[in-house]
Amino acid sequence: NMFCDCRELTSIPTLNTKSLINAYNMFSNCRKLITIPQLNFQNVTNVSYTFNQCAELTDFGGLLNIGQSFLTTAAEEFGNYRFNSCSKLTHESLMNIINGLYDIKAKGCKAQQLLLGSINKAKLTEEEIEIATNKGWNVS
């Protein structure tokens, strides 16, 4: 809940998130947030509701190595591993997300959800979506 309910926040500076384990509700209800730099999520095991109600988020550096710390024993589409994005993201921001995904398939994890929504998904080509699916992520 680090920045949860910071409703006037518009941007985030560069943060060292390398040791972060739980990102639950991290930016939830930051309704005016527009810009977030890339965040290192290599140790994060809970991404649920991280960007809930971030309706104005457009510029996002992505989440580096999201999935690296996921357990291989977790169920497919496990709630704590479900990544929800915001509908106004630029194409570049969406590709930052996709390119930052950890290859959970190669690690032996069951497929997890990358919820982009129909508006964002329409901004991507089939080949771009395939990058995520080849890494073990179900894109919807």
Side-chain angles (χ1 to χ4, degrees):
N1 294 319
M2 186 183 298
F3 296 100
C4 183
D5 291 321
C6 292
R7 294 185 179 154
E8 299 301 315
L9 189 65
T10 58
S11 66
I12 299 293
T14 300
L15 298 172
N16 181 351
T17 55
K18 193 173 182 177
S19 298
L20 181 66
I21 295 170
N22 189 340
Y24 176 80
N25 266 345
M26 188 171 178
F27 298 104
S28 188
N29 293 316
C30 292
R31 297 176 183 194
K32 294 184 181 179
L33 187 59
I34 298 168
T35 306
I36 300 176
Q38 183 182 61
L39 302 172
N40 187 330
F41 268 36
Q42 71 182 33
N43 290 308
V44 174
T45 58
N46 188 344
V47 295
S48 59
Y49 300 104
T50 302
F51 301 100
N52 186 45
Q53 306 272 342
C54 292
E56 298 303 317
L57 185 61
T58 54
D59 300 315
F60 183 33
L63 301 171
L64 183 62
N65 289 320
I66 182 173
Q68 184 173 335
S69 291
F70 290 4
L71 298 174
T72 57
T73 56
E76 184 171 340
E77 299 187 357
F78 180 54
N80 287 1
Y81 298 169
R82 184 176 300 128
F83 176 78
N84 294 332
S85 69
C86 307
S87 64
K88 290 187 177 182
L89 292 173
T90 64
H91 178 265
E92 181 179 356
S93 295
L94 291 165
M95 289 310 300
N96 290 340
I97 293 168
I98 288 172
N99 290 328
L101 295 171
Y102 190 78
D103 188 343
I104 59 174
K105 184 177 185 179
K107 181 181 175 177
C109 292
K110 294 174 182 76
Q112 299 303 325
Q113 283 189 299
L114 178 62
L115 299 173
L116 299 179
S118 59
I119 294 171
N120 283 331
K121 193 172 176 184
K123 298 173 190 174
L124 299 169
T125 67
E126 288 298 320
E127 292 80 17
E128 292 168 335
I129 293 169
E130 193 173 319
I131 295 168
T133 57
N134 288 340
K135 294 179 181 182
W137 296 83
N138 293 330
V139 180
S140 59

